[in-house]
Amino acid sequence: MTGVKIRACAHYVPSAVLDNHKISTWVDTTDEWIVKRTGVSERRISEGENTSDLCIQVAKQILEASGTAPEDIDMVLVATFTPDYGTPSVACLVQAEIGATNAFAFDLSAACSGFVYGVSVAQKFLLTKQYKNVLVIGADVLSKVTDWSDRGSSILFGDGAGGVLLSADEEGFFAERLRSRGDRVINGGFAEVVNPFSQRERGEYDFLKLDGQEVFNFAVKEASANISEILEQTGMTIDDIDFIVPHQANSRIIEGIAKKLKTSLEKFYVNIQRYGNTSAASIPIALSEMFKEGKLKQGSGKKVILVGFGGGLTWGSVLLSI
């Protein structure tokens, strides 16, 4: 038994909508400029909800949708790089709030690749046959680490959470390819030491920083190569894949990946226009919407590639059968 089955999927985003017109009132930009370069029209921004609050909403939806009792959850894994605290982990806060008294819990930090990494980790635990139900949530409140005076980054990011309940199955998990490059770094905020001995006040390094062109080149090249490696590993072709669910970083990146793979953009699910880049939350939010829209149905056998890429640098793909 090497597969995993998605038993339920859900997402949650804050109610406050921040559109491009509002952003243009404090940085030099326009709705047309943002849409053309990123594909983002609006994003959701927390008005006080922290990362655990978003995750708890997702977890409760999943329990209800799957008819699973909290005490039947064996493991809670949250992929995030914007936790509420250094400790306890977001996963522990979720575990306590939903009453998953028999579960162990921990966070995983791989930025925008976090959910893909999380699914991979969950599958390994399920393979041991000691665990039956694993809750995997990707969530980030990027508004905590966004420099809202920086036009290059403030137009991209939003807050949100999404997740799945996974169980072991005979089929469902075909292949994975996870990668990282620690010598190529995107700063994710809170990078430097600030204490009485450091002689430094909080400043520019406490915010998310990225080189747009560098990220674009990296994502298009490595994500497309990663997907090709998955296909070669399984003996499949791109035509065998029903959907590719990419990290929603930038619509131009997704278009670039499709071009590299010589496949139609219609094979990719894109919702960045509504949410912006939500980091580890973007792939599970997309999956949740696909189930709600009827594009995916449990037991349909549709083959889906999840591909994430982001800070670390980290990237990776997982091929699943739904």
Side-chain angles (χ1 to χ4, degrees), residues 31-102:
D31 174 65
E32 181 182 9
W33 190 91
I34 296 172
V35 171
K36 181 178 180 180
R37 287 163 178 77
T38 71
V40 182
S41 295
E42 61 185 36
R43 69 287 292 150
R44 302 298 183 95
I45 301 296
S46 171
E47 294 182 294
E49 293 172 299
N50 214 327
T51 306
S52 66
D53 296 312
L54 307 187
C55 292
I56 288 164
Q57 293 297 325
V58 170
K60 288 180 176 179
Q61 288 182 52
I62 287 175
L63 291 178
E64 182 177 359
S66 64
T68 302
E71 55 268 24
D72 289 335
I73 299 296
D74 300 306
M75 169 180 158
V76 179
L77 189 162
V78 172
T80 185
F81 79 94
T82 57
D84 297 28
Y85 313 106
T87 188
S89 67
V90 175
C92 280
L93 297 173
V94 173
Q95 182 250 2
E97 184 64 26
I98 66 174
T101 53
N102 294 318

Side-chain angles (χ1 to χ4, degrees), residues 157-215:
F157 301 117
D159 302 333
V164 294
L165 177 61
L166 298 178
S167 296
D169 196 53
E170 293 295 339
E171 299 180 349
F173 190 101
F174 285 98
E176 65 177 32
R177 181 64 168 160
L178 306 182
R179 302 290 302 277
S180 63
R181 283 281 303 275
D183 59 332
R184 296 176 63 189
V185 177
I186 299 173
N187 173 33
F190 310 110
E192 295 192 4
V193 174
V194 181
N195 63 34
F197 303 99
S198 67
Q199 303 296 313
R200 191 183 81 83
E201 295 181 357
R202 293 201 180 276
E204 62 173 321
Y205 292 105
D206 296 322
F207 300 108
L208 184 62
K209 297 290 182 181
L210 54 84
D211 181 329
Q213 190 59 50
E214 175 74 10
V215 171

Side-chain angles (χ1 to χ4, degrees), residues 128-170:
T128 69
K129 299 183 181 179
Q130 295 184 66
Y131 311 99
K132 296 180 179 179
N133 299 308
V134 178
L135 187 59
V136 182
I137 300 173
D140 274 302
V141 178
L142 291 174
S143 57
K144 295 195 292 186
V145 293
T146 297
D147 181 353
W148 292 99
S149 66
D150 176 18
R151 184 179 73 164
S153 60
S154 64
I155 63 174
L156 289 171
F157 301 117
D159 302 333
V164 294
L165 177 61
L166 298 178
S167 296
D169 196 53
E170 293 295 339

Side-chain angles (χ1 to χ4, degrees), residues 298-318:
Q298 291 165 342
S300 65
K302 288 188 179 296
K303 296 179 179 63
V304 177
I305 292 179
L306 314 181
V307 56
F309 42 86
L313 295 172
T314 61
W315 67 102
S317 302
V318 172

